[in-house]
């Protein structure tokens, strides 16, 4: 497996009672390069990724958990998934705004507002 061969790391997130898996940057770059030739496959992967986060909170965006990742990268994944129609629904949701501000402070949220309109 990836863990046994030290190709991935696994850490326990006790605040969320979950496991967090990470890949080395070189592996991530390799995977991104492979997907560049299959843009529809990449779009579907991003869509599934975002949809799983939303499904876990029953599409109540303010209930997204601060896992140290999603609040800083949601705009990117929405864009890559072709789900930009959800920006107003999510980024104007007061629960989401509050959760995002608590997780990352104003800089990331304001940056997303500017970057993704």
């Amino acid at each position: 497996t990836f863990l046994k061969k030290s190709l991935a790391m696994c850490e326990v997130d006790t605040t969320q009672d979950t496991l967090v898996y990470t890949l080395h940057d070189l592996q991530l770059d390799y995977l991104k390069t492979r997907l560049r030739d299959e843009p529809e496959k990449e779009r579907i992967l991003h869509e599934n990724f975002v949809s799983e986060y939303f499904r876990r909170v029953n599409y109540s965006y303010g209930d997204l958990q601060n896992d140290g990742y999603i609040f800083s990268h949601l705009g990117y994944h929405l864009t890559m998934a072709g789900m930009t129609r959800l920006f107003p629904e999510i980024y104007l949701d007061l629960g989401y705004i509050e959760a995002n501000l608590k997780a990352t402070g104003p800089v990331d949220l304001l940056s997303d507002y500017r970057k993704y309109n």
Side-chain angles (χ1 to χ4, degrees):
T1 68
F2 281 97
L3 295 175
K4 287 181 183 176
K5 294 180 180 182
S6 298
L7 297 173
M9 292 181 9
C10 178
E11 298 175 2
V12 176
D13 181 350
T14 56
T15 62
Q16 304 296 320
D17 195 30
T18 60
L19 298 175
V20 177
Y21 294 91
T22 56
L23 297 174
H24 190 279
D25 288 346
L26 292 174
Q27 292 167 302
L28 186 58
D29 288 343
Y30 171 76
L31 293 173
K32 286 181 177 181
T33 301
R34 298 258 337 235
L35 285 173
R36 283 192 187 113
D37 296 334
E38 301 181 61
E40 182 59 16
K41 187 174 184 179
E42 181 179 14
R43 186 198 65 74
I44 291 169
L45 288 171
H46 284 281
E47 182 178 347
N48 291 341
F49 180 78
V50 170
S51 295
E52 181 60 23
Y53 267 98
F54 295 161
R55 186 196 62 76
R56 288 182 181 205
V57 295
N58 200 26
Y59 295 83
S60 179
Y61 309 118
D63 292 337
L64 286 169
Q65 299 296 308
N66 178 14
D67 62 2
Y69 183 83
I70 194 61
F71 290 112
S72 297
H73 298 89
L74 181 59
Y76 166 76
H77 288 290
L78 287 172
T79 300
M80 296 301 291
M83 300 170 73
T84 55
R85 69 191 179 286
L86 293 178
F87 272 104
E89 183 179 331
I90 297 168
Y91 280 84
L92 297 176
D93 179 282
L94 293 179
Y96 175 80
I97 293 169
E98 179 182 14
N100 191 318
L101 288 171
K102 285 180 180 177
T104 65
V107 175
D108 279 343
L109 187 60
L110 291 173
S111 175
D112 280 356
Y113 283 140
R114 280 189 214 108
K115 189 172 187 175
Y116 302 110
N117 278 339

